[in-house]
Amino acid sequence: MTVPVLTIDGPSGAGKGTVSRAVAKQLGWHYLDSGSIYRSLAIAVTQAGVDLLKLRQICEIAYAMELEFECGAELVVRLNGVDVSANLCTETTGNAASIIAAYPEVREVLLQKQKDFQQLPGLVADGRDMGSVVFPDAKFKVYLTASAEERGLRRYKQLIEKGIDANLIQITKEILARDQRDSERTTAPLTVPQGAYYLDSSSLTIQQVIEAVINLVRAD
Ligand code: DC
């Protein structure tokens, strides 16, 4: 039996994580936060003191790392048995993740780790290349985006709520730089997958976005 997959791709800060988690919960499906795999690798590489230019060493770390995900109200990620959730959402980790994610060799190593999440009764997969590369045959595909200003503001509020110091102008600049890096890389760039439902959430509430995505699946 084919396991149904719903892919939700889009740029940083578009609300993919919140929407994907809520949709997975309502459908009773598994959830893959592929960004957290790249982020965990960025943490592992930084902890090992390896330069982001040292491709061979980064690939070795990617092969060897063991990840466990616990999907409760908040996502808990254990890297080689150690809870790294607190470090996962920082801008430093996100930027390092975006840099190492541009290496085709790194993406190849992480490909199977992502495919393994496709299990019954279904999977909601969030990322940049879920509908284009990792699950090209997914039954449902969504491309979720919002303006860079709106995404910057959302990220800023998230960080402030978590008690993390943040600068709105700096965050918006970093978001634009990350968009450019994620879209212009040669391997698996951020793109609207063929057949994807394009959803601009700039003027929608998170609840409206969740409903639109659920309706897409239930209408089938
Ligand atoms: O979604 P995120 O912000 O947690 O992702 C962090 C970085 O990881 C992002 O800038 C690019 C990379 N990434 C990727 O290249 N492919 C994915 N499927 C998910 C994330």
Side-chain angles (χ1 to χ4, degrees), residues 9-13 16 33-39 88 93-102 107 114 126-130 134 155 178-179 181-182 185 187-188:
D9 289 300
S12 193
K16 299 188 304 287
D33 174 356
S34 60
S36 71
I37 296 185
Y38 288 92
R39 285 172 181 266
L88 219 54
T93 302
N95 287 325
S98 170
I99 292 170
I100 56 180
R107 305 196 72 84
Q114 296 171 79
D126 123 32
R128 303 288 188 290
D129 62 341
M130 298 294 99
V134 184
R155 188 71 98 198
R178 185 119 58 98
D179 282 359
R181 198 161 45 224
D182 293 346
R185 66 179 179 226
T187 308

Side-chain angles (χ1 to χ4, degrees), residues 89-91 152-167 171 174:
C89 69
T90 68
E91 294 307 300
L153 190 62
R154 289 178 191 169
R155 188 71 98 198
Y156 173 79
K157 286 184 184 160
Q158 260 175 9
L159 292 171
I160 295 294
E161 270 167 26
K162 286 184 179 164
I164 301 170
D165 203 19
N167 175 316
I171 287 179
E174 283 174 4

